[in-house]
Amino acid sequence: MNSFLSKFSKNQSLLYKGLLFISATLLIIYFLPKGGQFKYDFDKGKPWQYENLYAPFSFTIKKDKETLEKEEKSIRDSAIPYFDKDTSAVSESLSRFSESLETSFIDSLYADKALIKNIGETILKKVMGRGITNEVHPYSESKLIYIKNGNEVEEVLYKQIYTEDDITATINSELIAYELPNTKSYLSSILERSITANVTLNSRLTEDAITSEINAINPNQGIIEKGARIIAKGEVVEGNTFKILNSLSAEYESQIWSKSNQLWLLVGYSILIALVFLMLFLFLKKYRLEIFNNNTKLTFIFFNIVLMIFLTTLIIKYNASYVYVVPLCILPLVLKAFFDPRLGLFVHVLTLLLLGFIVPNSFEYLFLQIIAGIVTILTVSELYKRANLFISVGQITFVYIVGYFAFSVIHEGNIDTIEWETLGLFIICGLVTLFAHPLIYLYEKIFGLVSDVSLLELSDTNSKLLKELSNKAPGTFHHSLNVANLAEAAANEIGANAMLVRVGALYHDIGKMKNPTMFTENQVNSINSHNELEPLESASIIIGHVIDGIEIARKHKLPDRIIDFIRTHHGTSLVYYFYKKESEQNPDVAKENFMYPGPIPFSKETAILMMADSVEAASKSLKEPTSTKINDFVEKIIDGQMEQGQFLNANVTFKEIQQIKKVLKKKLNNIYHLRVEYPE
């Protein structure tokens, strides 16, 4: 049991990588469209690259989206609307007419009451019998409509029903036929008040009829028999041929994705996706071993790949024409902020290879996204400068628009058919890409990573922790600034992360705040506190500043990448002065008691800091420094560190160490350059 637990403990990192690999593969398989893949790749307006294609089976030619939309529009335009006639409205209007006549009739002024009532009721029934509407409709007078009166449906022209504006003129024209001296205007006013609209549009019935007709549209426009030639090699894919190929592709994919073939298709997808992730693992193992060994960073990369595929799938399921609104360029942008440009571009390309299974017009999509990714990597430098991100996003959007314009011209042969909405999607995509800054901040909090933006904030010497260092240990603070300048120059020389080295140098000695006077740079007089202590006790205080520094850093929530500089800046070196002093008194002294706990530097940046720190601190002991003394002094210190094996785990070459020495010598010569003495 113990041996099993021991093996599990040793291999848990590898097991986690395997679990991450399998989980990501299964998630992406789940996101993939459930259908087979047509074995020919073709684009409208481009020549057919394969041999003559013959129909492998009989299939129907599907109407394209535009044709179906035109037919649907035609049905809607020609649809006959349904109107409802209110049967109770006539009796209600007659009742109002009778009441108005009873209350307002004057025998001495008007004609016979019974006659007026009879004429009024006749006109009212006639007008309302045709129908009156108080609604406004976009129909022409010659538009055919259906009027539903109970269970009966009457077919009439729209002009045959009255509107409320027609009532007065209609009543007056009807009254012309009657001899009613001094009574027509009276009767007309009563009728106007009594007659009400009794015809309304039945939207539900009209829409149901339209929907029924739309559903009855035949999605096919012909049949291709098995063995018929579809296209010849070199023939341009366009017009009806393009429709036939799309129909064949759809039919082929639906036939392939059957219950009997489903398992094999899943196996095929699994192999291809696994190959993509395998390439990522191999790249990281060969060129980015530090990231490969760090499960948090590995999880971060896989999370971003899966997230981008998930967002793209979500948009495609909603509306495939919105696929370009997904800000894929955030992926290389974020990876470049946390790692390096080459890794950002490599992961971006691998993600696009996976998206090739999902997106429509995959060649066009991949081309535009790869170009945009390259532009992202080439243009975004110093992401912590906000203006750079805006400029880069503008360039990315411009590349999208120019690329889409070129594809549109190639496919259609003119610019009349360019979809301007797609250009708007590119602009929206660019605006969403600006979300990179808050996203980077969010990732820093979730995954414990650190970007150049955070490094810039940490490099501010007015920050709370550095102010505390300058107040409690001013000599150490000054030493840290000098080391930061030396380390930054060396990092620039060999192409290391200069910003990271500078910040690491500023914080590497914060542990000295606990006992500042125990370190010579903070002693303001000739009294040395170590004179009263035993060498072993003094050594433990000196060595303790590393542990104290780590504790202070964690308390102030500094990123782990900065704490690494505190932990490694002395490696496993020996506190030689106190060891020598103790060995003079006790020859059998244990050397381990006078050594820093380590670990030794494990990156170029931490190695640079060790060299710069040792050289800067020891340079204070130089008396009457000259160029020769400085050269020998730098060589001696760094060669000694190499002999102790301090750089064995750091990814730094002999050539780079020589370049670092050269920079340190030059900087120290500038610092200790003596001015010419002028006569008083």
Side-chain angles (χ1 to χ4, degrees):
M1 184 65 179
N2 289 336
S3 62
F4 172 77
L5 291 174
S6 177
K7 286 181 180 178
F8 179 79
S9 178
K10 289 179 182 178
N11 297 317
Q12 63 178 0
S13 179
L14 195 60
L15 290 171
Y16 178 81
K17 289 178 176 63
L19 182 63
L20 188 65
F21 183 95
I22 294 168
S23 301
T25 302
L26 292 176
L27 275 172
I28 292 174
I29 289 173
Y30 177 76
F31 295 147
L32 290 179
K34 303 301 182 286
Q37 291 289 324
F38 190 47
K39 58 185 177 181
Y40 301 107
D41 190 21
F42 60 92
D43 288 295
K44 187 176 181 181
K46 298 182 71 175
W48 181 255
Q49 301 292 332
Y50 311 96
E51 296 298 325
N52 295 357
L53 178 63
Y54 298 90
F57 44 76
S58 297
F59 63 94
T60 56
I61 304 172
K62 305 292 182 184
K63 294 176 182 174
D64 58 27
K65 185 180 177 182
E66 290 182 1
T67 303
L68 291 172
E69 286 176 351
K70 284 180 181 178
E71 290 189 19
E72 182 178 333
K73 186 177 183 302
S74 175
I75 288 172
R76 288 192 176 278
D77 292 343
S78 61
I80 300 176
Y82 282 82
F83 286 81
D84 286 327
K85 182 180 282 187
D86 186 0
T87 53
S88 64
V90 175
S91 58
E92 291 175 2
S93 294
L94 287 171
S95 177
R96 279 198 299 275
F97 175 72
S98 297
E99 290 176 6
S100 297
L101 190 65
E102 290 294 333
T103 56
S104 62
F105 185 79
I106 302 173
D107 292 330
S108 60
L109 293 178
Y110 306 124
D112 182 59
K113 183 178 180 181
L115 177 63
I116 291 174
K117 183 177 181 181
N118 183 50
I119 292 171
E121 288 179 346
T122 301
I123 293 173
L124 190 148
K125 289 177 182 177
K126 183 178 179 181
V127 173
M128 292 190 67
R130 280 182 62 175
I132 303 168
T133 182
N134 60 0
E135 301 170 343
V136 178
H137 304 108
Y139 306 127
S140 64
E141 290 186 350
S142 59
K143 176 71 175 179
L144 197 65
I145 63 171
Y146 291 133
I147 296 181
K148 187 173 177 291
N149 189 359
N151 294 325
E152 297 179 359
V153 176
E154 180 185 3
E155 187 179 279
V156 301
L157 296 178
Y158 181 67
K159 67 180 180 180
Q160 290 180 254
I161 62 172
Y162 297 115
T163 65
E164 286 191 326
D165 295 337
D166 300 331
I167 297 301
T168 302
T170 302
I171 291 172
N172 290 334
S173 65
E174 292 291 335
L175 287 172
I176 291 174
Y178 299 99
E179 293 291 335
L180 293 170
N182 303 323
T183 307
K184 287 184 180 181
S185 60
Y186 166 70
L187 182 56
S188 175
S189 65
I190 294 177
L191 285 171
E192 282 184 40
R193 292 197 302 271
S194 303
I195 291 175
T196 58
N198 64 336
V199 174
T200 56
L201 178 68
N202 190 328
S203 301
R204 183 187 60 79
L205 191 59
T206 303
E207 190 60 34
D208 286 347
I210 292 172
T211 303
S212 178
E213 286 191 56
I214 289 173
N215 291 337
I217 293 175
N218 185 358
N220 307 317
Q221 64 179 31
I223 297 176
I224 299 295
E225 297 293 339
K226 181 179 179 180
R229 195 182 79 173
I230 296 173
I231 191 170
K233 184 176 181 180
E235 185 179 339
V236 177
V237 179
E238 57 185 355
N240 197 50
T241 305
F242 182 65
K243 292 180 183 179
I244 295 171
L245 285 171
N246 278 328
S247 301
L248 175 60
S249 175
E251 187 68 25
Y252 182 87
E253 290 173 4
S254 64
Q255 287 189 18
I256 289 295
W257 190 264
S258 60
K259 288 185 178 179
S260 59
N261 297 337
Q262 185 173 352
L263 180 61
W264 285 110
L265 288 169
L266 288 174
V267 169
Y269 276 136
S270 301
I271 291 171
L272 293 176
I273 295 167
L275 280 174
V276 171
F277 285 139
L278 183 62
M279 293 305 104
L280 177 57
F281 272 121
L282 290 175
F283 177 85
L284 294 174
K285 179 120 171 90
K286 186 172 179 62
Y287 298 108
R288 302 291 185 274
L289 189 60
E290 179 196 347
I291 297 172
F292 180 80
N293 291 330
N294 189 316
N295 285 337
T296 302
K297 293 179 180 179
L298 208 57
T299 304
F300 172 72
I301 293 170
F302 272 80
F303 172 79
N304 276 280
I305 293 173
V306 173
L307 177 64
M308 286 301 165
I309 292 173
F310 169 71
L311 290 175
T312 306
T313 307
L314 208 62
I315 292 295
I316 289 174
K317 283 183 179 178
Y318 174 72
N319 190 335
S321 60
Y322 293 160
V323 69
Y324 285 109
V325 85
V326 180
L328 274 181
C329 286
I330 278 187
L331 182 60
L333 204 60
V334 168
L335 293 177
K336 183 181 179 181
F338 288 114
F339 305 117
D340 61 89
R342 186 183 295 180
L343 178 61
L345 183 59
F346 187 80
V347 173
H348 180 65
V349 171
L350 290 183
T351 306
L352 291 176
L353 291 178
L354 294 173
L355 287 174
F357 295 117
I358 302 170
V359 296
N361 299 323
S362 56
F363 174 77
E364 178 181 328
Y365 181 84
L366 293 179
F367 184 91
L368 287 176
Q369 295 293 1
I370 288 174
I371 293 296
I374 293 171
V375 170
T376 303
I377 293 298
L378 294 178
T379 58
V380 179
S381 58
E382 298 177 328
L383 187 61
Y384 53 85
K385 295 181 179 177
R386 289 171 294 180
N388 286 357
L389 181 61
F390 282 94
I391 294 168
S392 179
V393 166
Q395 292 171 332
I396 292 166
T397 306
F398 178 73
V399 166
Y400 272 135
I401 292 173
V402 170
Y404 174 73
F405 174 81
F407 272 111
S408 297
V409 171
I410 290 171
H411 290 164
E412 305 296 337
N414 57 64
I415 61 172
D416 299 334
T417 56
I418 289 179
E419 297 180 5
W420 299 105
E421 290 181 1
T422 306
L423 302 184
L425 295 179
F426 292 136
I427 295 171
I428 294 171
C429 177
L431 294 175
V432 176
T433 305
L434 294 174
F435 187 68
H437 268 309
L439 187 64
I440 288 169
Y441 176 79
L442 189 65
Y443 279 150
E444 286 179 335
K445 298 303 178 185
I446 295 173
F447 292 95
L449 301 172
V450 59
S451 68
D452 286 349
V453 181
S454 293
L455 291 176
L456 182 66
E457 293 173 357
L458 290 169
S459 67
D460 183 8
T461 53
N462 289 316
S463 65
K464 183 179 178 182
L465 186 54
L466 290 180
K467 271 193 171 183
E468 187 180 351
L469 177 64
S470 67
N471 291 331
K472 289 184 177 180
T476 299
F477 178 71
H478 185 261
H479 159 73
S480 297
L481 287 176
N482 289 338
V483 173
N485 292 331
L486 291 172
E488 184 179 19
N492 283 323
E493 182 68 22
I494 67 169
N497 191 331
M499 179 66 76
L500 179 62
V501 171
R502 180 173 184 81
V503 175
L506 289 173
Y507 290 91
H508 79 284
D509 269 345
I510 56 174
K512 292 181 179 180
M513 285 194 293
K514 193 169 183 180
N515 293 301
T517 56
M518 289 294 177
F519 301 90
T520 55
E521 66 265 25
N522 299 312
Q523 294 169 358
V524 294
N525 49 44
S526 58
I527 300 173
N528 190 335
S529 303
H530 290 286
N531 293 336
E532 301 174 4
L533 302 174
E534 291 296 324
L536 184 60
E537 191 177 355
S538 294
S540 65
I541 293 172
I542 298 297
I543 292 170
H545 88 274
V546 173
I547 304 300
D548 294 336
I550 293 171
E551 290 176 356
I552 293 170
R554 293 201 184 284
K555 182 181 176 181
H556 286 81
K557 297 181 180 179
L558 291 184
D560 287 339
R561 288 180 77 184
I562 304 305
I563 295 174
D564 287 340
F565 286 92
I566 301 172
R567 188 185 291 114
T568 62
H569 75 277
H570 284 296
T572 56
S573 60
L574 185 69
V575 185
Y576 185 77
Y577 176 82
F578 293 109
Y579 169 71
K580 189 71 174 174
K581 191 175 180 181
E582 178 68 18
S583 62
E584 289 174 357
Q585 302 171 11
N586 180 15
D588 298 327
V589 63
K591 197 173 185 178
E592 293 77 13
N593 295 333
F594 292 84
M595 292 176 67
Y596 285 95
I600 60 176
F602 47 79
S603 66
K604 287 182 181 179
E605 288 77 15
T606 50
I608 289 170
L609 177 62
M610 173 181 271
M611 297 182 219
D613 179 46
S614 302
V615 166
E616 203 284 332
S619 68
K620 297 294 189 293
S621 64
L622 283 177
K623 295 179 180 179
E624 298 181 1
T626 63
S627 180
T628 304
K629 282 184 179 181
I630 289 173
N631 287 356
D632 295 340
F633 160 78
V634 171
E635 291 286 344
K636 180 182 177 182
I637 289 179
I638 296 178
D639 287 347
Q641 291 172 336
M642 291 174 67
E643 288 173 7
Q644 295 169 20
Q646 298 295 333
F647 307 134
L648 290 177
N649 291 344
N651 183 26
V652 61
T653 64
F654 285 114
K655 180 181 178 181
E656 288 170 337
I657 291 174
Q658 294 303 317
Q659 289 175 302
I660 293 167
K661 286 180 181 178
K662 184 179 177 181
V663 171
L664 295 177
K665 291 172 187 176
K666 181 180 178 182
K667 284 288 182 181
L668 288 174
N669 272 293
N670 291 337
I671 292 171
Y672 290 105
H673 178 66
L674 299 176
R675 293 189 179 186
V676 176
E677 291 188 11
Y678 293 95
E680 294 182 2

